[in-house]
Every structure is written in C-alpha cells, then in structure tokens.
Amino acid sequence: MDFSLVQRVFPFFVEAAWITIEISVLSLALGLIVAFLVAAAKMSRSLPLRAFGSAYVSLFRGTPCLIQLFVIYFGGPQIGINLEPFAAGVIGLGLNIGAYMAEAIRGAILSVDRGQTEAARSIGFSRFQTMRKVVLPQAARLMIRPLGVNAVALVKGSALVSTISVVELTYTAQRYIGSTYKPFEIFGVAAVLYMLIVYVVARIVDLLDRRYAIA
Amino acid sequence: MQGLDFSVVPPYADILWMGVWWTAVLTVSAAAISFIFGVGFALVVLYAPKAVALPVRAFMWLFMGTPLLLQLFLIYYGLGQLGFKIPALVAGIIGLGLHFAVYNADILRAGIVAVDVGQTEGARSLGFGRFQTLRYFIVPQAVRNTIPAMGNNLIVLLKESSLVSIIGIAELVHAAQLAISETFRPFEFYITVAALYYILNLVLEAGLRRVEQNVEVSR
C-alpha cells in the first residue's frame, strides 16, 4: 500500500465525490418527477396513458442504463439534441431511475387498503381528492423504503456517467489507475467515498422512515 | 442535424450477432460464477469460523457499497498488478460473477436461515453429518425458495454485462461502437442494440418463468 499516493490524490477525489453527489441529487429529483408522472399515467383511466406508462417502464427497465446514456449523449446530436456530458448524465440517470421508482410508487399506492378509497368516494370525495387527501398520505409512508433502495442504487449507478466523460468519482479513479498503476490504493480511496455517500443516503432514508412510521 | 437512416444497420448484422453471442456467453458464465460463489459466500458467512467469515463479510460489504464499474477496473487492473496476466474477457466474467455472487449470497443467507429447523433436526437425527445435512437438505431447499429473487439478479446481470465493454470486451455494446466508428451513426446503432437487449431480456424472463413454474409444480 502506497499511502503517500493516497494522500496526494485524495483532494481530487473529494472534488470528484461532489460531482457524484450533484449528479445523484439532480437525477434523483428528475427521477421522482418522472416517476410520479409515469405512475399516474399507469394508473389513469385513459387507455393511451396507461399504455404509455407501461411502455415507458418496460422499455427503460428492459434495456441497459448504459445504452440509454449513449443514445442520449452520442445519438442526441443526430436528432438535434446537443447536451453537455453532465446534463446528458442527469437526464439519462433520471429517466432510467424514474422507471424503477414509478413501480415503487405504484406498489405503495396499490397497497393502501381499497376500503379507504371506497369510503372516501362514498362520502363525496372526487377521485382526485381521494387520491390527494386519503390515499397518497398513507402511501407516502410505504414509499420511503423502496424509494430509498432506488436512491442508493442511483448513487452507485451514477458511475456510468464516467463513460460519457463526466469527471466524477469513477472517472477520476479510472484516470488515476491508468496513470499510477496502483489499482488497489485508488479503488480504496474511491470505495471509501462511495460508501460514505451511500451510508449518508441510507441514514437519511432511515430517519425519514422512522419520522413517518405509524406509531 | 442529419436524418435518421436505419438502413445503415443491416450491413453490420454479422458483427451485431457476434456481439449478442458474446453477451450471452458473458452472462451465462458470470451467472454460473455468481451462483457458485453466492452459495459459497452464504455458507461461509453463516457457518465458517470468524477468521474466515469476517473477511468474506467485509468483501461483501465492500462490493455492495461500490459501483460495478469501479469493481471491474479493480479486477482488470488489480489482477494484472498482482501478476496474473488475464485477458479482458476473463476479468469481465470474474468481475460480473463476483459482483452478483455478493447479491446472491445475501439472498441465499436469508433463504438458508428461513429453512425450518425441523429439517436440520430430522436429518441430524437420521444420522446425517452436519455437512451432509447442509448439502442434501438445507441448501437445496434454500436454493429452490430463492429462485425468484436470484432470477431477478440474473435479469440485472444481463443488462449490467454491457459495462464490460468499457474494459474492451467485444460484446454487444462494443460491436455497436465498432460499427459507429465506421458509420458515425450512434443513434441508429444504439437504438438497435437497445432493442436486442430488450429481446434478450424477454427471452430470459420467459425462461425464468418456466423454471419457477417447474419448481412450483415439483413441490
């Protein structure tokens, strides 16, 4: 183990870790928006919307995230979409995780007892009111865990954007492995930072889960 | 901006088929490793003495907390540094295999613990040794009960096998990149590759459903 190397490269890795955090947070935000829209589409009464929701989930979950990023970043210019690597990364990861999170949201909504909907409807709530005031508040609790699992997966999945030359943790690690030939030391540094981020995300999910748990 | 033209794809059909073939080879080989090592890790974590179990647990913890891509770099360059000159394909199979072995081990550990204690007691009282009890009674039941969960891992493995293109293995993504370097048509080829993965995925899912049904019937 070459600890002077670790000391020397560490500041660069901390900087790269911030990019990983930025990418993760932004694509998580985008993913949540996409997920709620897609879940709503999948559960709507309109057949075309339902078909769209199902197709979205099936296509984004049935193909590799790497290819989705490549289509957006390398294929985009051919259809007039020119994106910086960072923006392409956020959009690619966000659209991808959105498909997984949509299923988590839908699952939570479906597991709220049907009687709740029936009762709300029978006392005169509209479908929208029932969803917003009765079902969603109860489903929100049930979503925290599965969405948290997705958030952790997203942090690790964000390594993929290194392939479209976003200078985040994995990109930095790859570059230093190539220039120093010290794969174990470099992996160690990157691993510590990834696990720190993952740990913080898991803690936040734990706290939210406990905060909103049914007493 | 140029128009899209999918007629550039068919001339590269042979190369893409080779890519599909290698993606299948990678997935199957890595799946075998992930299963064998998954069982091994689960048994070690549950039954081995602490001195052996702790390093394995640390390894599992490390591989669950870091990205697969990073692990592939570690294995590809790390084994080289340790003096093992292995081809990229082998490094890719080992990397994918170990990554998913960790996830399978986690599932199997829970599956083994969930097998009824009466099974162990029954086997032991019939005179089977501790190892035989595991080998013939506990592990087979745990594997059978965890097939759906491990099947999900296999589906993820198929998609994640695309990552090994980064260390230069000539699978499906790499085949597309080759074609793109000659035609400058990334959109058409990556969409084609996405479609091929989607089909592979459907085939795998159908296969897994059949396996699950057979297991269900023979119960």
Side-chain angles (χ1 to χ4, degrees):
Chain A
M1 275 285 167
D2 181 351
F3 283 104
S4 69
L5 171 72
V6 171
Q7 223 171 12
R8 195 156 49 80
V9 300
F10 197 70
F12 299 104
F13 275 86
V14 172
E15 218 169 290
W18 278 113
I19 305 291
T20 289
I21 293 170
E22 269 175 43
I23 288 251
S24 304
V25 169
L26 289 175
S27 44
L28 178 66
L30 175 63
L32 280 171
I33 297 169
V34 169
F36 270 100
L37 292 176
V38 170
K42 255 192 117 166
M43 302 178 77
S44 91
R45 274 188 296 188
S46 132
L47 180 67
L49 272 181
R50 277 209 306 279
F52 167 78
S54 301
Y56 185 92
V57 169
S58 171
L59 288 177
F60 276 89
R61 298 208 315 178
T63 57
C65 186
L66 184 71
I67 300 294
Q68 293 159 21
L69 283 170
F70 283 180
V71 168
I72 293 170
Y73 182 66
F74 296 114
Q78 270 178 275
I79 52 171
I81 301 169
N82 289 288
L83 293 169
E84 296 289 310
F86 186 90
V90 168
I91 292 173
L93 290 175
L95 293 181
N96 180 267
I97 204 73
Y100 289 88
M101 287 182 157
E103 290 299 90
I105 290 170
R106 206 172 63 98
I109 290 175
L110 288 178
S111 59
V112 173
D113 194 277
R114 265 192 59 144
Q116 298 286 325
T117 308
E118 286 163 4
R121 295 286 283 142
S122 69
I123 56 170
F125 278 39
S126 70
R127 266 175 60 92
F128 181 75
Q129 282 175 319
T130 304
M131 186 50 83
R132 207 183 95 53
K133 293 195 191 283
V134 178
V135 178
L136 270 183
Q138 298 182 62
R141 274 200 268 274
L142 303 170
M143 285 173 204
I144 294 172
R145 282 267 150 222
L147 289 181
V149 170
N150 279 310
V152 168
L154 176 62
V155 171
K156 289 183 276 175
S158 73
L160 292 191
V161 300
S162 65
T163 61
I164 56 172
S165 59
V166 177
V167 186
E168 42 66 85
L169 262 178
T170 297
Y171 185 94
T172 308
Q174 189 192 4
R175 212 180 51 192
Y176 277 110
I177 288 174
S179 64
T180 63
Y181 289 103
K182 300 270 187 207
F184 292 98
E185 286 87 342
I186 300 294
F187 174 82
V189 175
V192 165
L193 290 167
Y194 268 114
M195 301 233 273
L196 202 65
I197 300 172
V198 166
Y199 176 76
V200 170
V201 174
R203 287 296 304 166
I204 294 173
V205 173
D206 263 350
L207 285 175
L208 284 175
D209 197 44
R210 224 166 299 157
R211 170 79 180 69
Y212 293 103
I214 302 165
Chain B
M1 187 170 163
Q2 53 190 128
L4 294 183
D5 178 12
F6 278 88
S7 70
V8 297
V9 175
Y12 289 89
D14 286 348
I15 290 173
L16 291 174
W17 275 123
M18 280 305 284
V20 169
W21 166 247
W22 281 111
T23 286
V25 170
L26 260 170
T27 304
V28 171
S29 326
I33 289 182
S34 77
F35 178 70
I36 295 165
F37 278 80
V39 174
F41 289 163
L43 290 176
V44 166
V45 165
L46 283 172
Y47 302 110
K50 262 213 174 99
V52 186
L54 270 182
V56 171
R57 278 169 85 154
F59 174 80
M60 286 176 63
W61 182 69
L62 191 65
F63 263 44
M64 283 186 134
T66 53
L68 170 61
L69 192 54
L70 196 61
Q71 294 160 16
L72 287 172
F73 291 141
L74 174 73
I75 287 169
Y76 185 48
Y77 295 102
L79 286 176
Q81 196 196 23
L82 291 177
F84 300 100
K85 284 273 163 277
I86 52 166
L89 180 68
V90 179
I93 291 172
I94 295 176
L96 279 172
L98 286 181
H99 179 81
F100 285 93
V102 165
Y103 286 92
N104 281 344
D106 207 42
I107 292 166
L108 278 165
R109 184 177 52 173
I112 290 171
V113 173
V115 173
D116 195 280
V117 192
Q119 297 289 326
T120 307
E121 288 165 357
R124 295 286 281 144
S125 67
L126 283 172
F128 285 97
R130 284 168 68 84
F131 179 77
Q132 284 176 317
T133 304
L134 279 176
R135 164 81 181 73
Y136 294 106
F137 296 86
I138 310 304
V139 172
Q141 292 184 61
V143 167
R144 171 188 281 198
N145 292 338
T146 51
I147 280 177
M150 288 197 291
N152 278 340
N153 274 349
L154 184 54
I155 287 171
V156 180
L157 168 59
L158 167 65
K159 286 180 283 175
E160 300 275 88
S161 74
S162 60
L163 294 196
V164 301
S165 61
I166 311 298
I167 57 172
I169 299 172
E171 41 67 84
L172 191 44
V173 182
H174 206 266
Q177 283 165 344
L178 193 76
I180 291 164
S181 68
E182 289 177 6
T183 58
F184 304 107
R185 293 279 185 172
F187 193 90
E188 288 88 339
F189 279 101
Y190 285 133
I191 289 287
T192 306
V193 164
L196 290 170
Y197 271 109
Y198 191 76
I199 294 167
L200 285 173
N201 202 31
L202 288 181
V203 172
L204 182 58
E205 273 178 20
L208 284 171
R209 252 200 311 275
R210 278 190 78 152
V211 171
E212 279 171 38
Q213 273 163 2
N214 282 338
V215 170
E216 215 46 61
V217 166
S218 66
R219 207 180 277 267

